[in-house]
Amino acid sequence: MKTFLKNNIFHAITILIIGMVVSNALYAGGDKFSPRIVGMGRTFTAISRGLDAVGVNPANLALNDRDATVTIDLIPIGLTVGSDFLNLKIYNDFFTGIPDPNNPNNPKNRLTKNLSEQDKKDILGLFPEGLARTQIGVEAGLIGVSLQIGNFGFAIAPSIQAPVNLDLPKGYLELPLNLLPDKAFYSFDGTALNAAVTAQVNASAAYLLPIEFPQVSNISVGVGVKYLIGLAYFATDHYNANISTEGDVYTDQYGNTKYLTKKIKGSFDFLQFVAVDTTDFKPVGSGLGFDVGVSGLLFDMVQFGVSVTDIGSMKWDKKTKAIVGQSSFEIENLSDTAQQNTIARSFKGKTIDTTGFEFALPTALHIGVAIQLDDFIDALPFRWLVATDMHFGFNEVAGNTKIVQFAIGTELDPVAGWLPLRTGILIGGRDRFSWSAGFGIHLANTFDLDFATQSIALLTNPETFRTGSFTMGMRLRF
């Protein structure tokens, strides 16, 4: 162990542990399509370098990126799909039927399965805490360039992003499973669809300050400015709705409760906004956003970073519409077509033209720490990085959430930089839990080819997986 660090090991480990514990109270919401970030469980605030720092912590642009002066991204792409509904076991058990006992050798001949009460409970288990979350993210970069000279770092990176958040209460599944028994009540409160398609250009800069403080060195600050072009948008302002049944009650001669008349009642109150040009697919909105960050080194061994990303808003002022639902109904004959249409109209609402509207960007705070273990443990025969992040989203717009999230990741470098191996876990947030993994092929420190997935559990336990993810990126270094 290197002597100049002996007295600081306890402080370093303490900070890392505190970082991991506090992370349980915050949400991560600024990571992009970097295979390194995804492979390490979406930790990025302290460890991102070069183009990986764009959009997550611009201060890290001023730090050494494997001795590269110029790095160029070659169309990185990332795709993530996660949902409480993505459960192959539930689908196979309850929605594909059962083998025909009269023809068991023909797998295509299956009979309808009658669901028991326990079966229904198992299916409704897809709604943790009564709400099923779904998120889809498609992100692709064009050709991004970063430059690091002396104490300065610069980068410009264009990209296209399409995040989708969908929340569905369990009432949507309770209704078809149980239909409309006496005294039923189904709530659809909390239904939310938030989605956006945007193109953006992020120009970021950072500076390594020529000052130090006791036990704090390598302090850098950075800022990013992004111009956004909105291509499509859907937002839920609020959604409150329910359907219930009731009737006049009496007790028959055997003591059984009976309903003379069953009435079906419903109440709907929701507001949603839409902006999209379905004819010419021209831009329908624009916005300006900012990222700010700081980075530093504690006790000569613990890298730390703090950033706030996506400060700003977007205005959607073309092809804008509002979907309004303010209605109630009371019917007695569900078989009547006119009354069926009444229910359908209540769910659908009324679409009207509206003036432009403005929504905040997915603003989030990120705090992270990392330790390069081999810098103070001589016995390690390879490079070993451990990082933990904490994040807090300030709103529920597409691509963001206020739900807490914790991430911890690691990167091993067993063959001198040629084949970095990465893994990490993510707990909380809309993802609830994911286990990431990835690797890179780095040739002569001039060409990087990296892959990652946020859903390694898909391979270990394919029947109960809830997230599918793939990220790939290529990078040139000079």
Side-chain angles (χ1 to χ4, degrees), residues 250-258:
Y250 77 99
T251 302
D252 64 13
Q253 57 181 330
Y254 303 105
N256 298 317
T257 300
K258 298 291 184 179

Side-chain angles (χ1 to χ4, degrees), residues 228-271:
L228 302 101
I229 299 174
L231 303 177
Y233 194 72
F234 192 105
T236 300
D237 181 85
H238 66 274
Y239 198 109
N240 300 301
N242 64 77
I243 290 179
S244 62
T245 60
E246 63 178 46
D248 298 326
V249 182
Y250 77 99
T251 302
D252 64 13
Q253 57 181 330
Y254 303 105
N256 298 317
T257 300
K258 298 291 184 179
Y259 286 78
L260 288 174
T261 305
K262 180 186 292 184
K263 297 179 181 179
I264 302 173
K265 293 184 176 182
S267 175
F268 290 80
D269 176 18
F270 58 84
L271 175 61

Side-chain angles (χ1 to χ4, degrees), residues 82-151:
S83 176
D84 294 318
F85 292 118
L86 288 177
N87 190 317
L88 187 60
K89 184 177 187 301
I90 293 290
Y91 174 76
N92 287 333
D93 287 350
F94 304 121
F95 295 100
T96 61
I98 59 177
D100 184 353
N102 298 320
N103 193 3
N105 296 323
N106 185 356
K108 296 182 179 180
N109 191 14
R110 302 178 71 85
L111 304 178
T112 301
K113 178 181 174 61
N114 294 320
L115 299 178
S116 66
E117 290 303 313
Q118 184 59 50
D119 291 338
K120 295 177 182 179
K121 290 181 180 179
D122 292 341
I123 294 172
L124 292 174
L126 295 172
F127 292 78
E129 301 174 357
L131 189 72
R133 303 189 190 106
T134 297
Q135 51 279 340
I136 301 171
V138 180
E139 300 176 283
L142 301 177
I143 297 179
V145 179
S146 70
L147 179 67
Q148 199 269 317
I149 301 177
N151 291 343

Side-chain angles (χ1 to χ4, degrees), residues 58-79:
N60 292 336
L61 281 168
L63 305 181
N64 184 285
D65 181 22
R66 290 169 44 204
D67 298 325
T69 301
V70 178
T71 58
I72 301 175
D73 253 347
L74 301 176
I75 314 180
I77 187 169
L79 170 65

Side-chain angles (χ1 to χ4, degrees), residues 180 243-246 262-266 329-334 339 343:
L180 292 166
I243 290 179
S244 62
T245 60
E246 63 178 46
K262 180 186 292 184
K263 297 179 181 179
I264 302 173
K265 293 184 176 182
F329 63 82
E330 181 176 318
I331 64 176
E332 297 182 6
N333 185 5
L334 190 58
Q339 296 189 3
I343 299 177

